[in-house]
Amino acid sequence: MQHSSFERDFAAYNGAQRGRAVRPLARRAVQEAGSRPERSVHPAIDLGSGVGVESRFLAENGYTVHSFDVDPSVAAAMGDLSAKLPVHHTTTDLAEISSLPDADLILACMSLPFVRQEAFDDLWRIIRRALRPGGILAVDLFGDRDDWAGTDGTFLTRADTDALLVGLEVISQTEVERDGTSFRGPKHWHTYQVIARRL
Ligand SMILES: C[S@@+](CC[C@H](N)C(=O)[O-])C[C@H]1O[C@@H](n2cnc3c(N)ncnc32)[C@H](O)[C@@H]1O
């Protein structure tokens, strides 16, 4: 079992993501938030962007994207993207940030669970504060029955997840538990996928 985020090989994972399809969570988030007219300056945030498949999609849909990822190996791909589209990338551990730009859409595909537990509540407060009224939050979270629960990261009960969403309009909250595979092999998944709007 991998006990810490540092043992997870995000560079290998991210390297294998080039050319894959945009994640449905990102598509649904844009549907809810609205595609923006060309040259608009609506800010969006992509937390744990990887190589920027979703950041590109958000930018192509009229958002100015602020992307963040701890993996330095994605910086070159993000730099290439920034040369063509309004994407501003920062290499950082999300556990270390103290603020985020205000945004109409905040996306986190399969990334927040890797933030260490003791930093998660502060990060969630920062995310909630950055979300503009009417803005859309679209995130994957991991549950306490996930195979990786107990390793370095944030694994939540259903009640924990409900508590995070108090005060938001929950558009969808899908809990899934299944045996499947991860990038590294067989795995029991317990996940929540949430789309919510700031009132
Ligand atoms: C499973 S990958 C998902 C990447 C991309 N969002 C996707 O959907 O393919 C997790 C991503 O989160 C990043 N990540 C993990 N822990 C992080 C942290 N504490 N701060 C910032 N990024 C982190 C990893 O480098 C990786 O790019």
Side-chain angles (χ1 to χ4, degrees):
M1 184 183 283
Q2 301 154 272
H3 291 279
S4 85
S5 298
F6 299 107
E7 292 169 55
R8 296 186 179 116
D9 189 354
F10 288 121
Y13 175 89
N14 285 324
Q17 298 304 304
R18 289 166 198 272
R20 70 157 163 76
V22 173
R23 297 209 183 278
L25 181 62
R27 292 191 180 279
R28 289 197 51 215
V30 167
Q31 260 169 20
E32 292 295 342
S35 191
R36 304 296 183 173
E38 212 176 321
R39 270 188 261 115
S40 69
V41 287
H42 288 280
I45 294 172
D46 186 2
L47 298 170
S49 61
V51 286
V53 177
E54 283 70 37
S55 292
R56 171 190 289 274
F57 173 74
L58 296 177
E60 287 174 345
N61 277 277
Y63 289 87
T64 293
V65 181
H66 301 275
S67 60
F68 300 84
D69 202 290
V70 74
D71 175 8
S73 79
V74 304
M78 296 310 290
D80 291 348
L81 199 52
S82 301
K84 297 178 214 134
L85 288 164
V87 175
H88 309 283
H89 186 70
T90 305
T91 300
T92 186
D93 185 342
L94 292 171
E96 304 296 330
I97 63 169
S98 54
S99 67
L100 287 168
D102 289 351
D104 295 305
L105 192 165
I106 301 181
L107 178 70
C109 291
M110 306 289 286
S111 54
L112 294 183
F114 301 111
V115 173
R116 55 181 194 269
Q117 176 93 59
E118 60 274 22
F120 187 87
D121 286 349
D122 279 349
L123 175 61
W124 191 258
R125 263 190 290 280
I126 291 166
I127 290 170
R128 292 275 304 248
R129 210 181 301 134
L131 191 63
R132 287 177 165 167
I136 292 293
L137 178 61
V139 298
D140 290 309
L141 301 167
F142 281 3
D144 58 328
R145 294 187 297 280
D146 193 273
D147 256 359
W148 290 341
T151 65
D152 188 14
T154 300
F155 300 87
L156 304 165
T157 64
R158 176 68 186 222
D160 294 333
T161 309
D162 290 345
L164 292 177
L165 301 175
V166 168
L168 296 170
E169 176 202 350
V170 177
I171 296 167
S172 65
Q173 182 181 8
T174 310
E175 181 174 1
V176 173
E177 203 167 343
R178 66 178 174 88
D179 291 321
T181 52
S182 76
F183 185 63
R184 309 207 33 161
K187 174 176 185 285
H188 183 75
W189 292 92
H190 180 203
T191 58
Y192 310 95
Q193 192 163 80
V194 174
I195 300 182
R197 189 187 314 273
R198 179 170 166 191
L199 298 168

